[in-house]
Amino acid sequence: MKQVQELPLTENCHHWRKISEVPWDLQKYWQQRHTIFSYYNEGIYMTHDAWYGVTPEPVANQIAHDLSLIISEDKTTIIDVFAGVGANSIAFALSGRWERVIAVEKDAATLACAQHNASIYGVANSISWILGDNFEYLDALNSSDSSSLEPDLQVNIKSTVVFGSPPWGGPGYRTDEVFDLSTMEPYNLTKMHESYRMMDHALYLPRTSDLRQIAHLAPEGSKIEVVQYCVEGASKAMVAYLLAEKGAEVEEEKNSNA
């Protein structure tokens, strides 16, 4: 993995101006383009898959606002671990809440779109861009030898928050009355929580996600805040806000002193 300054847009990056240019399976999403990005006409670029998972701008802005209220002020860095084409990272940067915003994306074309889109919103230089797998990155940060990472990739775990908007995949999130988060593909709830548990983290999940599975992650005697986010009265997703596990904090301290 590496920090990148400015990736070139590729043939997989698109800015469609007319519906006749849009593949049939994306046309309903393209018709919502100005809700997804209010600056779409200024030259927003997307990959094909990004249309399915991008956070609509009003939701991204509200999440950024809510994080500023929910997360304690001593947390100064936020890592957007599934940055996609940049919607959430842009909102975090625009909020002015964070000293450092880090966007991690493993697909180069998608990250190129994110950097380009952030430049349209005037915040490209306010975000650190990492091309790589976020689980490998978090594993390196959580290891006893995080010094193996380049200096620009290192953070203080105690002052860092993780935001994860993963691909939802699987057969049923659109149709299941209650979505089983253990079947979410390619990364299920347990996989993400285990990787992120050493830091406060917020997970952007299908609106019908099984609340019992989320509640199971709460440390004994504590609660998890879950918020439904809507656009024009229709729920788009829920976000679960989880605090770092106290045992994980002790583990991190041991690792840092090793």
Side-chain angles (χ1 to χ4, degrees):
M1 72 189 69
K2 60 182 179 179
Q3 185 168 354
V4 292
Q5 298 302 321
E6 187 174 356
L7 293 171
L9 295 170
T10 73
E11 61 182 8
N12 293 320
C13 304
H14 305 283
H15 174 74
W16 292 310
R17 293 190 176 276
K18 298 182 294 185
I19 196 169
S20 59
E21 301 172 338
V22 183
W24 68 269
D25 57 322
L26 297 179
Q27 289 183 1
K28 71 174 183 179
Y29 301 102
W30 182 83
Q31 290 173 334
Q32 303 170 43
R33 62 196 181 281
H34 297 119
T35 298
I36 294 173
F37 281 110
S38 62
Y39 286 6
Y40 181 85
N41 288 352
E42 302 302 314
I44 292 294
Y45 272 77
M46 305 275 281
T47 61
H48 184 284
D49 290 348
W51 287 97
Y52 293 110
V54 63
T55 305
E57 184 174 307
V59 174
N61 288 340
Q62 188 62 48
I63 290 171
H65 172 75
D66 291 349
L67 273 169
S68 69
L69 300 178
I70 294 171
I71 302 298
S72 62
E73 292 183 357
D74 62 335
K75 310 294 184 179
T76 57
T77 296
I78 188 163
I79 306 175
D80 183 359
V81 289
F82 296 97
V85 292
N88 292 106
S89 295
I90 291 169
F92 296 144
L94 287 172
S95 74
R97 162 64 174 80
W98 307 96
E99 293 180 8
R100 190 176 183 193
V101 177
I102 300 173
V104 185
E105 173 56 49
K106 67 179 182 180
D107 180 71
T110 304
L111 190 59
C113 291
Q115 292 177 316
H116 174 83
N117 297 339
S119 70
I120 290 175
Y121 281 81
V123 293
N125 294 331
S126 301
I127 301 170
S128 299
W129 305 97
I130 297 178
L131 179 62
D133 182 274
N134 80 84
F135 295 104
E136 293 178 4
Y137 179 46
L138 269 295
D139 285 346
L141 288 178
N142 292 334
S143 74
S144 58
D145 188 24
S146 63
S147 60
S148 61
L149 289 170
E150 296 178 8
D152 288 344
L153 301 183
Q154 296 181 27
V155 300
N156 181 350
I157 288 178
K158 293 181 180 180
S159 61
T160 300
V161 176
V162 169
F163 176 81
S165 176
W168 294 340
Y173 87 84
R174 289 188 178 91
T175 57
D176 289 0
E177 184 175 349
V178 178
F179 181 63
D180 183 353
L181 291 166
S182 69
T183 67
M184 189 164 61
E185 299 174 0
Y187 316 111
N188 63 22
L189 180 64
T190 300
K191 165 71 172 176
M192 291 186 293
H193 181 63
E194 284 300 311
S195 293
Y196 310 149
R197 66 188 180 88
M198 295 182 76
M199 289 164 274
D200 292 352
H201 53 288
L203 301 178
Y204 185 86
L205 302 168
R207 60 183 176 80
T208 59
S209 296
D210 191 335
L211 292 175
R212 294 167 297 182
Q213 293 174 318
I214 297 172
H216 184 69
L217 302 178
E220 185 175 354
S222 65
K223 296 180 180 179
I224 293 174
E225 186 161 356
V226 179
V227 180
Q228 286 276 356
Y229 289 90
C230 303
V231 175
E232 296 179 354
S235 177
K236 295 296 183 182
M238 67 169 63
V239 174
Y241 295 92
L242 301 102
L243 298 178
E245 292 183 8
K246 292 183 178 179
E249 292 176 356
V250 172
E251 182 180 338
E252 192 275 332
E253 287 179 3
K254 290 180 178 178
N255 286 338
S256 64
N257 293 325

